[in-house]
Amino acid sequence: MATAETAEQMETRKPVNDVLVTGGRTFSEVNEDVARPLENFPTGRWWVCFIAAMAAFFMGAVLLLKTFKDGVGVWGLNQPIGWGNDVTTFVFWVGIGHAGTLISAILFLFRQKWRTGINRSAEAMTIFAVMTAGMVILTHTGRTWLAAFWLLPYPNQRQLWPNFRSPLEWDVFAVSTYFTISLIFWYMGLVPDIASIRDRAKNKIRKFALTILSLGWRGSNRHWVHYEQAYLIFAGLSTPLVLSVHSVVSFDFAVSQLPGWHTTIFPPYFVAGAIFSGFAMVVTLLVLAREAFGLKHYITMDHLEKMNKIIMTTGMLVGYAYGVEFFIAWYSGSAFEQFTFINRAFGPYWWSYWIMVSCNVLIPQLFWVKRFRRSIPVMFVVSLYVNIGMYFERFVIIVTSLHRDFLPSSWATYVPSWVELGMFTGWIGFFFIWFLLFVRFLPAIAMGEVKSVMDQPSKGASHA
Amino acid sequence: MHNEKKEPVLSGVVGFFDEPDSLIEATAKVRDSTFKHFDCFTPYAVHGLEHAQGLPRSKVPYVTGIFAFTGTATAFAWQYAASKVWWPHIIGGKPMNSLPAFVPIIFELSVLFGGIATFFAMLAFNRLPNLRKRAFDPAITNNRFAILIENPNAGKDEEEGQEAFHPDQAEQFLKSLGAKDVRKVFEEGWFS
Amino acid sequence: MESTEKKSSEVKFETPRLWMSPEELTPAYWADEEKQTRNAQEFYDKPIETLEKIEALDRAGLSRRDFLTVMGASMAMASFACARRPVNKIIPYVVQPQELTPGNPLYFASTCRECANSCGLLVKTREGRPIKLEGNDEHPVNRGKLCARGQASLLNLYDPDRLKGPLKGTKGGDKGSANWADVDSLVTAALKEAKRVRIVSLPESGDSTRRAIREFMAAFADARWIEVDPLGQDELADGQQESYGTRVAPEYAFDRAEMVVSFGADFLGTWGDHVRNAQKWSKTRKLSAAKDSLSKLVVFESNLSITGASADERFAVLPGTEVAAALAVAHEMIVTQKKGRFAGNADVTSALSGSFEEWISKAGSLDQAEVKKIANELWEARGKSVILGAGSPGLHAVVNLLNSNLENDGKTIDGNANALPYSASNRALAGLQAELESGQIDVLVIDRANPVYFLPSGEAFASAMKKAKFVVAISDRMDETARFADVVLPVNHALESWGDARPDAGTFSLQQPAIAPLFDTRSFQDVLIGWTRGGVRSSGLLAQVAQNPKGSFYDYLKENWKQSLYPAHGKGRGFNEFWESTLQTGVLEVKAGPSRERPFRTASLKLAKDAVQKISSLSLGKTKKGPSLEATGIALGLYFKPSMGDGRSANNAWLQEMPDPISTITWDNHLNIAPAYAAELGLESNDVVIVKNDQFTAEVPVKVQPGIAKGAATLALGYGRTAAGKVGTAVGINGFRFARFDGEAGFRLDGITVSIKSTGKKYQLAETQGHHRIMGRPVLNEITYDAFKKNPNASMETEPAVKMETVPTLWDSPVDYSKSPHRWMLAVDLNSCTGCGACVVACQAENNTPVVGRDRVRQSREMHWMRIDRYYSGDENSPTVVFQPMMCQHCENAPCETVCPVVATSHSEDGLNQMTYSRCVGTRYCQNNCPYKTRRFNFFDHWKDYKDTMNMVWNPDVTVRSRGIMEKCTFCVQRINDAKSKAKDAKASLKDGDVRTACQQTCPTDAIIFGNVNDKDSAIRKWMENPRAFRSLEILNTRPAVHYLTKVRNAEASEEGKEHGHG
C-alpha cells in the first residue's frame, strides 16, 4: 500500500517533446500501460484469437498423427520432388524468426533507440517462429521418431555419428544454437521487467512466480553494470549468428548440385529474404498488438514507418536477387541452369513465380509514398502480401527446381495434399498459441529499455 | 511482513531521487565521502552512473571469450574425430577430414558456448538468483532512483571486527544530498 | 564272498587313478565281465550301426545325390504341410553337399510355361520355396535368358487368387467347393457315356504330354484335341503351308543375317521365339574395336513396337497393310529390277501385277526412294538376310516369296531341319463353336485356355459351351471360361508339376517341380491319369500308369523318356544316370541336321491378293473435329505388349506395373494415335473416346503416340480381363473383342476398322516417364554407323562428349579404388538394348521391390530400382527411339552421400554406393540431390500389400524395406557377397562372371555387363575400353560407375536424326 501511495505522490506531469514514446508518459505510466493486459482478465478478442489458434493447432496435430501412422505418402511428394510444402514451411518460419534477433541485436549495435518499443515482442516472435520451424523440419522426415535423436551427435556404444558434411546436420546446429541464444537473450532482457511487474503484483501466486522468474532482481547498479555488458556481448554474438543461421539454411540448397539450388548468391539472398519476411511478420503482429493492448504510445507510427522502410529496402534486395539469378543462369552458359530459370517463370509453376515477384517486389513499392508508409491498413495488407510472397519464394525455389532437373525422363509435378495444407495451418496455430500466451503473461514492451530512451525527468522539471 | 523478523539486521540507509541526473551528482558525492560501502538502485541502466559510483569494468567479456574459444576447439576436435577416427566413411569422394564442411558447426558451437557462458557469468558476477535480499522498495523497478549507504557489518558476526557505522550520519548525509524519503532499511529475504 | 574279494583285491586290484563312479573303485566292478564289454562298446556301437546302414544304402545304389535329394525334398515338404505328392525325385542342379544348409539356395532346372516358347529355367529355391527364376544357360532356346513375363511367372505361383481346390456347380452359375474324389467321379461318369469329346488346351509341345492326351482320346469314338494360342503363329504356319507344303513355324538365324526386314513382326518383343530371336539378333549388333560390322534392321509396322524402336529404318504403315509394303518391295525387286529366280515367272509377275506406287499408297505414305533402296540392299544381302512378317497368310506368302527369291530359305531360315510342325490353330475354335451350338458335344475339356476371354465372339462361345452336355475346366483360377464349366479343376503352377516340352525338333526340355503344390491342385496330366484310373478306357502307357495306384505323371514321363529318347540318346549310360543328368541340365539337346531349301509354291501368292482386297476397304472416313468428334474408318491395329502378352497373367502385379517400353504406361491399355493425326482429330492424351466397330464398343483413353501412321490407331491386347483376380480384373479394355474371327480367316488381328467418338471425359493414364526428349543434354550418345566408322566416339546428342578427365576435382578421392581387390562397375550397351523390360522385372523379383499400384504410379511414386528411359528424337510422327536403362550410377563423387545427415548412404572400398536402410531417417535429401533420380522413397509400408501366399516370394537375402526410408539399386550386393563367400569357401579368388546382377543375368541381348574393373581381363574392363564407352551427365563430374556404350544406328545421318530440343 505504502508503495502505491508513494508512487502516487511521485507522479509528476511534465511537458514532453519526445519521439520514441508519445503521449507524455511518465515512468510509472509506462508500467501501468505495459502491465495492464497482464493484470486484467483477457479480452474477448484475445479469447477468439486463442481458441482459433488452438483449433488450427489441434487439426494440425491430428493430421500429423495421421502422417506418423500412414507415412509421409499422405503428402503430395513424389519421386523427383522429395521436398515440397514441408521444407517450404520450415524455411518460411526460420525466415520469420530473423527479425527479432536482428532488431534486438543489430539495431542495438547501431544504437537505434527506436528498437526499444518493438524488440521484446519481435524477439518473442523469433523464438516462437524458430520453435515452429524446428518442429516442421523434424516432422518432415520419413521416420521422425529416429530423426529426433539420430541427427544429434550423442556419444553411443556403437560409435555412430552424424555426417558433419551434410547441410542438414549444419541446420541442426544452426537452428538449435539460434533458438538457445535467442531464448537466453530474450529472457535476460525480460528479467528487470519481470521485476517491475513483480513489484506491482497483488496476487500471491503470481508474485511468487514472478519473483522466481525475476531471479530476485533488485535494480542494483552493480548488477546493471554486468547486465549491460552481457547484453552488449549478446548483441555482438547474435549479429553474426542471425546472419549465419539463414546462410546455413540456404546451404541446404546451395550445397546441392541441383540447377536452381546450386547458387552462390543464396546466403545473402536468403538473409535478405529472412529480414524481409521477419519484418513483415513483425508489422503484422504489432499492428494488431498495439490496437489490442493500447500500446500506441510505445509502438509509434514512427516505429512502424521505419520498419516499412526496411521492408521496402529488403524487398528490393530480394528483387535484385531474382534478377541476378537469371543473369547468372544465362552467364553460366549451363543449359540446365538456363532451362531451370526459364521453366520457373514460364513452366507449369509460372503462377507461383509471378505471385512471388508481385508480392515481394512490386507491392512493397507502395512504401515510396509516405502516406502509405504511415497508414495502418496499407502496411497491414502489404505485410500480409509479403508473408504470402515469401512463402511462395521458398515454394518456387524448392519445387520448380526439383520437378524438372537433369534427366527429362524423371520430370513430374507436385500438388500439395490436403493433409499438408492442414498441417501448414496447424503450424500457424502453433505459433500464435505461443504468441498470444506471451502477450498475456509477459511484458510485451521492454520497459527498462523504453524508460532509458524516454525523455528523462530533470531537476528543473520536478514539482513544476 | 516486516515485523515477523525478530532482530532485523540493518542493511543500510536509503535515500530516493526522482531524476537520474540528481542521482548521478549525489552518487559522485557519496563516492568521495567517508561512506565507502554504498550502491545505487535504478529502474533501468542509467548511463554514467557506473563512473559516478566508481565501479570497475565488467569481467564478463573474458569469460565469453574463453568459452567461445572452447566451443571452437570442441567443435573441430569433435567433428574431426567423428569423421576420421571414430566412424570413418567414404562420403561423396570427400576426404575424411573435410575441413571446409566443418566450418559452419565450428562457428555455431563457438557462439553457443560463448552465449551460454555470458549469461551465467553475468548471473555469477551478480550473485543471482538471490532470494535472500529483497528489493527494499517497489518504486525502484518503477520510477525512482535510490542510493543505499550500506551497513558494512550487515551479515557479519560479532566476532569479526566491526567497522564503525552511524546510520544517523548517513541519513544526514543523504538528506544533505537532496535525497527524499531517507530511511533505514533492514535486510529481508524474498520469502521471509 | 567278502573274503574272496578281499583276496582277489589283494592280488590284482589297484585303485584306478581316474574313475567315473565310486563303484569303479571296488574290485567287484572290474570283475564283472559283461559290464566291461558294454563299457568297451558304449561310445561307438551306435556309429558302427549307422555306418553299416550307409554302406548298405550305397550297395543298394542310392547315391549321395539321392540322399541329398531326399533331404532337399523333405525340406520342401517341411515348408509345406500341404505337400501331397512326394517330390523325392527332384535333382538339384549341380549341387554340392554343403549347399543344402538352410540359408543357401538350391537351383532346379525346369521349363518355363508362361508361353509356348518353353525357355529353360533355373529355379532358385530357398528353404523349399522358389524365389527367383533365371534362364538355364545350357538351354538352347534361351541360353540363360528370360523375358519379363518369364521372370514374372514366379509371382503367379504365389497368386492368392488361385483356386485352392476343385469346384463343382452349374455352367455360368455358382460353384461350390468339392473334393477331388467327387469331381473325378462326376467327370468319369460323364466321360464313360461320352462319344464326342473335345479337348481345348494351350499348345503342348512335350512329347510325353502329347502322347498322354492321344492315349486318353483313344478311349472315345470321336475325340478331338484343339490347341489354341492367342500369342501363336497361325497365319505364319498357314502361310508356310501354302508356300512350302508344311505347316511349320520356321527358325530364323538372325545371328547370320546381315539384314533383317520385318513386316509387322515384333520379333524382339512378343512375336514367336522372341527371347531366342533377340539374343541371336543382338549378336549382330555388338560393336567393338575388334568387330565393327553391324547388321541392318528395317521394320514396316503399324504400332511402334520395341522391334521398331530398335530398327535402323522404320516405316509406319496402316494396320494390315504390311502386305502392301511387302508387295511393293517384291514388286521393285522382282518385277521392276528383274532380280532373283522368280524374275519373269508368270505367276509371280501376275500376282505382283499393279504398280509399285499403288502398293506404296495402300501402305500409307511411305518414302518410295527408301523402299526402293531397301529392295536393293536386300538383294545385296541375299542369302544373308531374314524377312519376316506378322499378319495375314497372304503377307506370309509374299514374305516367303521374298525369302525364296533371295535364297534365304534353307540358309537363314530353317523350315525343315529344326522346325517342328505347328500344331496350334485358333481357327479350329470356330468349328468347335459350331459343334457346340449344334449340341453334339458330350464332354468339353478346357485346359488353361481361356477362349471366352480372347475370342472376339467370347460371349457366343460361352453360350455355346452351355449347350455341351458336360464341361470340365482345368484352370488355376475361376476365369472367364471356367465360369461356364460344370466342374472346375484347379491346376498346378508350372513350378509345381512335372512335364516336358519340345520347343524345336532338336530340343527336349524337362519341366520338374521346384515345390510341392501349395494348394489342393493337380497337373492336367495327373488329372488325365486320375480319370483313367476312374474307369476311362485310355490306352497304352496312360492305362499302365493308372493301374499303379501311386502312379503319377512323373512315372509316365520317366517311362516315356525311357521308351522314346533313352534308346537313341542314352549314350550307353544306365537310364537312371541318363535321366538324372538330363534332369540336372534340364534339357536334352539333339543336333539337328542341316536345313534344306524348300521349293516355293507360287500358287500361294493368291492369298496375297485376298489380303490386299481386305485392306482396300481401309479408307479414312470423314471426321468432325473438336468436342463432338466423330471419325470413322480408322484402321485399328491390335498388338501384344512385352509385359501383358495375351493377358493370361493379367493378375500378376509385377507385369501390370511394368511400364510399357514405348509408352511407359502401366496398369492400362490405351488407344495410340499419332500426334499429327490426334491434332487433326482434336484429341489429346488422356482423352477418353468411344471406340466402336460392328462387334464391340468401348471407352478407351487416348495416348498421343509418335510413330503411328496417320489414319491408324493401335490398342494393346491382354487387358480388360473380367475374371482375372483382385489385381487384374477390370484393368483396361479387352482389345480381342475388336478382332476378326471366322471359320475361313480364323483369328485375325489385322484389317480392322473402327470409328471414334469423343466423350469429353478424361482418364489419367499412369505414365512413368515425365518427358520424352533429351533436349540436347549430355544424357546419352547416339551416332550413325557412318559416323561411327569415321570416329567411334563421335556423338550426335552431346557435342562434344565431356570426358571427366578434363574436369578438375576439388578434393582427391579418400581411397584409391584401383588398389582395392575389387571395383564393381556396370556397363550397358545401348546398341543391343531393345528396352524389353526383362531386367526391370528381374530386378523387382531379386530385390523385393514393391508394387505400388496405379494411383501411386500416377503420383510418380513407382519403386522400380531399374527403369528404362525411352527418348524420342527427330520428327514427332516418325521418331527415332533410344532406350537407356537407368539404375543407381554408384557415383564415385556421389551427391547423395554428401547430403545425408546420418551417414545412411556411403561408399564402399570396392566402389559400391551403399544404402543403410536401418540408419535412414528419410530426409529425402539424397533423392533431391541425385542427378539421375534413381533413388526410391518408401512413402508407405508397401510390403503390407503382399498378402498371404505372396509373402513367400520375398528374397530372404534382401531386406524388405519399411516406410519412411530411401532405397535404390545396390548392384545386387547380396549376390556379390554370396559369390565372395563361395570363393572364400573354395579358397579361390573371384573370377570374372562369378557375380552376375539380376538385370545382367536375364538380359536377352547381353546388353548389360557387370564385373570387377580391377581385373585386367574382365569383360567389363573390355567394355569400358570400348571406344563407345561414355558416362551419363559426365559434365557433373559425379564419376558414375555405370558406363554406357554409344547407340549406333545403321542409317545415314539425316536431319531427323538430330535433336529437336523441347518436344
Side-chain angles (χ1 to χ4, degrees), chain A residues 75 79 82 143 166 252 405, chain C residues 777 861 899 920 924-925 927:
Chain A
W75 301 346
Q79 229 46 273
R143 303 202 289 178
S166 164
D252 289 351
D405 73 333
Chain C
R777 296 179 171 191
R861 288 175 176 181
V899 298
C920 176
R924 304 185 292 286
Y925 196 175
Q927 179 203 66

Side-chain angles (χ1 to χ4, degrees), chain B residues 141-153:
Chain B
T141 58
N142 180 357
N143 61 349
R144 302 194 76 188
F145 307 83
I147 299 180
L148 172 70
I149 297 180
E150 291 161 327
N151 169 9
N153 310 322

Side-chain angles (χ1 to χ4, degrees), chain A residues 123-142:
Chain A
E123 285 171 43
M125 182 196 75
T126 290
I127 287 156
F128 305 143
V130 173
M131 278 162 60
T132 318
M135 296 292 288
V136 172
I137 200 63
L138 193 60
T139 52
H140 103 288
T141 57

Side-chain angles (χ1 to χ4, degrees), chain C residues 132-133 148 151 837-847 998-999 1001-1002:
Chain C
K132 178 80 167 62
L133 302 184
Q151 285 286 350
C839 48
V840 174
V841 182
C843 174
Q844 185 154 33
E846 170 72 16
N847 292 305
C999 49
Q1001 193 283 329
T1002 203

Side-chain angles (χ1 to χ4, degrees), chain C residues 327-372:
Chain C
L327 280 165
V329 174
H331 187 279
E332 173 67 15
M333 186 191 300
I334 300 169
V335 178
T336 313
Q337 304 194 13
K338 310 215 173 327
K339 285 180 175 152
R341 63 183 61 168
F342 292 101
N345 177 311
D347 312 355
V348 174
T349 322
S350 66
L352 298 179
S353 62
S355 70
F356 173 81
E357 290 69 20
E358 177 194 337
W359 300 126
I360 287 286
S361 60
K362 276 204 164 50
S365 52
L366 302 186
D367 181 337
Q368 302 195 6
E370 285 293 318
V371 177
K372 288 200 167 81

Side-chain angles (χ1 to χ4, degrees), chain A residues 75-78 349 413-417 420:
Chain A
W75 301 346
L77 302 174
N78 56 28
Y349 289 102
T413 51
Y414 158 79
V415 184
S417 75
E420 274 172 292

